[in-house]
Amino acid sequence: ETGVTQTPRHLVMGMTNKKSLKCEQHLGHNAMYWYKQSAKKPLELMFVYSLEERVENNSVPSRFSPECPNSSHLFLHLHTLQPEDSALYLCASSPSTSNQPQHFGDGTRLSIL
Amino acid sequence: QKEVEQNSGPLSVPEGAIASLNCTYSDRGSQSFFWYRQYSGKSPELIMSIYSNGDKEDGRFTAQLNKASQYVSLLIRDSQPSDSATYLCAVPSYNFNKFYFGSGTKLNVKP
């Protein structure tokens, strides 16, 4: 399944670094999402974009900054992260923000030193 | 109260048995329900969708929905070792802007 592609697959960074996660979907969907998955915790929704407009910001710290330049691309810009931000970051897309299922990318495994 | 609740498991069943996974949700306005399978180190993969009360069958998988009881389940018949994974229940909010996931039930199918 290559409908939703995330890069990089693994990222190790220091707390003072700036990096970006990239997500691209080839499914013609109009909605895109960022999730955080930590060990033994449910998936946490971070951001929702519909037609490049942010429709949900789930009380995420400002050190995470999303960007959606078009309906096929989604970025998550990272700055001065904390060790507790180490997790699997998943991107997903769906036809719209409706009762249709989401399709996930393979995720970026992020480790903060 | 969590929006979506699942038993964390692990649920262990022998090969060939029926595995029964359960999920309850809190939003009475929810209209669609999804089951995802997640292998260790991998991303969630959609395996079943159900929108109306009753049963929906797809191969060895059957989803069951009871909106009055706010309960959705997944049955896996003839369980195989390859079914060993964590199963996530997902329920969109009434306005569809949020997708609530349960914490997942880990299933172990023993050969």
Side-chain angles (χ1 to χ4, degrees), chain A residues 6-63:
Chain A
Q6 289 187 243
T7 55
R9 294 295 308 279
H10 302 273
L11 178 61
V12 180
M13 56 187 287
M15 288 190 286
T16 58
N17 292 156
K18 288 184 181 180
K19 295 286 184 182
S20 297
L21 310 184
K22 179 182 176 182
C23 177
E24 183 174 1
Q25 58 97 1
H26 307 277
L27 301 170
H29 290 169
N30 290 320
M32 297 187 76
Y33 311 79
W34 278 117
Y35 287 88
K36 176 184 178 183
Q37 189 173 38
S38 304
K40 299 183 179 180
K41 284 188 174 181
L43 279 166
E44 300 173 54
L45 180 64
M46 300 175 73
F47 301 104
V48 180
Y49 276 83
S50 176
L51 296 171
E52 302 119 59
E53 180 181 341
R54 191 189 309 179
V55 296
E56 189 73 32
N57 177 350
N58 215 24
S59 301
V60 178
S62 60
R63 56 186 185 268

Side-chain angles (χ1 to χ4, degrees), chain A residues 1 21 28 35 46 52 72 75 78-79 102 111:
Chain A
E1 174 75 37
L21 310 184
Y35 287 88
M46 300 175 73
E52 302 119 59
S72 298
F75 295 89
L78 315 173
H79 178 49
Q102 297 175 11
S111 298

Side-chain angles (χ1 to χ4, degrees), chain B residues 72-89:
Chain B
V72 58
S73 65
L74 179 70
L75 301 178
I76 306 175
R77 289 183 301 282
D78 188 25
S79 295
Q80 301 298 307
S82 59
D83 295 326
S84 298
T86 296
Y87 289 80
L88 305 172
C89 174

Side-chain angles (χ1 to χ4, degrees), chain B residues 11-100:
Chain B
L11 172 66
S12 292
V13 300
E15 184 174 357
I18 296 176
S20 178
L21 306 164
N22 304 315
C23 171
T24 58
Y25 60 94
S26 61
D27 186 351
R28 285 193 169 275
S30 295
Q31 300 175 32
S32 50
F33 308 86
F34 306 100
W35 282 99
Y36 287 81
R37 176 177 62 200
Q38 187 174 24
Y39 292 113
S40 181
K42 301 292 187 181
S43 62
E45 173 193 10
L46 178 70
I47 55 172
M48 286 290 283
S49 306
I50 187 166
Y51 300 93
S52 55
N53 278 331
D55 295 359
K56 178 183 177 183
E57 186 174 320
D58 183 1
R60 295 186 296 112
F61 298 100
T62 298
Q64 299 175 318
L65 174 61
N66 184 327
K67 290 186 179 179
S69 301
Q70 296 175 246
Y71 176 93
V72 58
S73 65
L74 179 70
L75 301 178
I76 306 175
R77 289 183 301 282
D78 188 25
S79 295
Q80 301 298 307
S82 59
D83 295 326
S84 298
T86 296
Y87 289 80
L88 305 172
C89 174
V91 181
S93 64
Y94 73 96
N95 64 354
F96 307 124
N97 278 355
K98 291 189 178 183
F99 224 71
Y100 295 111

